[in-house]
Amino acid sequence: MPRPPLAADTFGDPFDLDRLPLARAAAGYAVQRLDTDTLLDRATGCFLPVRSPDLQGLFDSFDEARTAAGAWVMKNCPPPQDHRLAIVPATFDGLMKRHILIYGVLCGQP
């Protein structure tokens, strides 16, 4: 039986990086696993730590990040509502050689 499609706000409300008042410029959208410092890697479709030298964690658009997150959920989360993922603005620090979560979500609950 096919699963129903995911809602547009499944991984947070869609946002445009150019319209967000960010303290630090974002280079892209990242899919973060809540309560962790891991991001979805574009190359492998797996979650890797932000400090991993192999991580390719930035997506060019919210829709691209949403599509990748949705694919991960459909493969790894029965039921899909238990995904614990969020799309967040992020950048890559070339000096530190790591991804930086600008508004990352480290705690799933307040």
Side-chain angles (χ1 to χ4, degrees), residues 26-98:
Y29 301 80
V31 179
Q32 180 189 9
R33 192 174 220 170
L34 297 177
D35 297 320
T36 75
D37 69 347
T38 62
L39 300 178
L40 185 61
D41 179 54
R42 290 176 38 190
T44 65
C46 297
F47 281 88
L48 299 175
V50 296
R51 291 171 182 82
S52 171
D54 298 324
L55 177 61
Q56 296 176 35
L58 298 179
F59 294 88
D60 293 330
S61 69
F62 187 94
D63 288 339
E64 186 182 338
R66 184 185 179 285
T67 298
W72 187 89
V73 165
M74 289 301 140
K75 182 178 178 184
N76 296 287
C77 292
Q81 62 270 22
D82 292 345
H83 62 77
R84 303 194 44 76
L85 305 181
I87 297 174
V88 298
T91 194
F92 183 81
D93 186 313
L95 183 63
M96 295 175 60
K97 304 285 189 233
R98 63 168 281 203

